[in-house]
Amino acid sequence: MNETSLHERIANALVDNAVNDGFQISISSGDKTVVSRSRNSAEIIKAMFHTDMDTLTLNVEERRVGIVTLMYDTEKPGLEVIGDHTDIPHINRLVEHTMKEFEK
């Protein structure tokens, strides 16, 4: 089995942290939704990494609160995997907390 890339480790940590924070996650890959409002980290992670990017839509109950875009460009360092995210306090904290886990 191959060693898990830094991109994957960061993306996996982000999913785990989001689920632990109470978010439901939908995964869009291209124009197709492959997971809808799940709190099952294993199901979410299994649906990821099939294309060059995934979009995670974060919901609290029935309300969409934001998105996080993950980009798996092998030309860039792993810490740049989070390409974009909704600029609201809770999602900013989620992203910052996840990234601190991987800072040296």
Side-chain angles (χ1 to χ4, degrees):
M1 180 179 246
N2 292 341
E3 182 179 328
T4 305
S5 73
L6 183 56
H7 284 130
E8 289 178 69
R9 293 192 337 250
I10 292 170
N12 293 346
L14 179 76
V15 167
D16 288 339
N17 290 338
V19 167
N20 290 336
D21 280 356
F23 287 111
Q24 297 170 333
I25 300 175
S26 299
I27 298 288
S28 297
S29 188
D31 60 353
K32 179 180 167 188
T33 299
V34 291
V35 171
S36 184
R37 292 190 185 142
S38 178
R39 295 205 64 232
N40 181 325
S41 292
E43 173 189 30
I44 295 163
I45 291 167
K46 183 178 179 183
M48 295 167 56
F49 311 111
H50 297 286
T51 62
D52 291 340
M53 68 182 275
D54 288 308
T55 301
L56 284 64
T57 302
L58 305 176
N59 292 290
V60 174
E61 297 178 9
E62 298 295 317
R63 189 179 63 124
R64 176 183 164 179
V65 294
I67 64 165
V68 177
T69 302
L70 302 172
M71 301 171 60
Y72 313 121
D73 184 347
T74 58
E75 299 295 317
K76 294 184 180 180
L79 293 175
E80 295 182 15
V81 67
I82 299 173
D84 195 12
H85 65 280
T86 302
D87 186 14
I88 61 172
H90 197 78
I91 295 177
N92 289 340
R93 281 191 301 273
L94 170 67
V95 169
E96 288 169 14
H97 173 75
T98 300
M99 296 311 291
K100 281 183 184 178
E101 293 177 34
F102 294 91
E103 290 176 352
K104 294 181 181 186

